[in-house]
Amino acid sequence: MDYSNGTESEVSMDSVQLVAGLLICFPEFSKIRLDSKEKAVIMEISVREAPEKEKFEEAERLIEDSLMLYHNIEHTSGGKLGFSYENFSLQIYRDIASLSRGEVGLIVSLLKEKFADIIITDEVRNPDEDLIYMQSEMIDHRIRFLKENKIPESMVGVREDGRVMVYDNDLM
């Protein structure tokens, strides 16, 4: 395995910290999966009911157009994007190679705007602002580190009752 900029345990720890950081900074996410084979992240937002077909298609176009504009402004190239609804969750598939914290924030903002009435958010009581700021600042660093290294294993992180838990998905 190629860990040109870090050891396997450093890359594994950054994988865990990326998944946890995304869940901590974005309480809209109920589950995050890091796929080592695809070098992708799958972000899930739980919803109370299936979105209306027209509204879902409109949101999909808005996300695609907004990300294209975002990448033009940032002078970066867009990557693989998937947006779907399955089992009471909106799922966003993104490859790590072109992902950024700013892009994740944009996606969450757009989905909150379109689906505020059906999104289930785990309300965090008295959030630790310093922890959220620190995690937020480290997300781009972790993404950059994972872009340069092979992700050693798949991870899954879930949010439950204000807690974040991350597991090695390859062991499940």
Side-chain angles (χ1 to χ4, degrees):
M1 293 200 187
D2 177 29
Y3 302 104
S4 55
N5 293 318
T7 67
E8 182 176 357
S9 73
E10 287 173 326
V11 176
S12 183
M13 184 55 68
D14 263 22
S15 299
V16 169
Q17 291 174 344
L18 174 62
V19 170
L22 287 169
L23 286 166
I24 289 167
C25 293
F26 299 98
E28 296 78 13
F29 291 136
S30 55
K31 184 178 188 181
I32 303 281
R33 289 180 284 149
L34 187 60
D35 187 323
S36 62
K37 292 179 183 72
E38 295 287 323
K39 269 197 117 173
V41 62
I42 300 93
M43 301 165 278
E44 295 185 20
I45 296 177
S46 294
V47 292
R48 296 183 213 306
E49 61 192 48
E52 297 170 12
K53 184 178 180 183
E54 282 181 23
K55 196 172 183 180
F56 181 84
E57 290 171 352
E58 183 181 307
E60 185 174 31
R61 283 189 303 276
L62 179 63
I63 290 170
E64 289 172 357
D65 292 346
S66 298
L67 290 181
M68 187 168 36
L69 180 60
Y70 175 86
H71 287 287
N72 283 338
I73 291 169
E74 293 292 317
H75 304 292
T76 58
S77 60
K80 294 178 188 171
L81 168 69
F83 180 57
S84 61
Y85 167 77
E86 190 175 309
N87 299 325
F88 290 96
S89 75
L90 300 172
Q91 300 178 355
I92 305 99
Y93 170 96
R94 284 292 287 120
D95 63 302
I96 291 288
S98 63
L99 185 68
S100 71
R101 176 178 46 111
E103 182 183 313
V104 173
L106 175 61
I107 291 170
V108 169
S109 293
L110 294 171
L111 291 176
K112 282 173 38 178
E113 181 181 309
K114 286 291 180 190
F115 301 110
D117 55 332
I118 63 171
I119 289 178
I120 300 170
T121 302
D122 187 9
E123 293 299 325
V124 180
R125 294 178 196 93
N126 302 320
D128 183 342
E129 299 291 328
D130 290 335
L131 174 64
I132 292 172
Y133 176 77
M134 184 177 73
Q135 289 293 331
S136 178
E137 289 297 309
M138 293 303 290
I139 288 173
D140 276 328
H141 165 74
R142 290 179 183 122
I143 290 171
R144 274 192 307 277
F145 190 75
L146 292 175
K147 286 177 184 181
E148 298 168 1
N149 293 279
K150 182 173 177 13
I151 301 169
E153 64 260 333
S154 294
M155 300 283 166
V156 64
V158 293
R159 172 189 299 287
E160 187 176 303
D161 297 325
R163 294 178 299 188
V164 169
M165 295 164 276
V166 180
Y167 304 94
D168 180 344
N169 200 38
D170 291 335
L171 299 176
M172 298 178 89

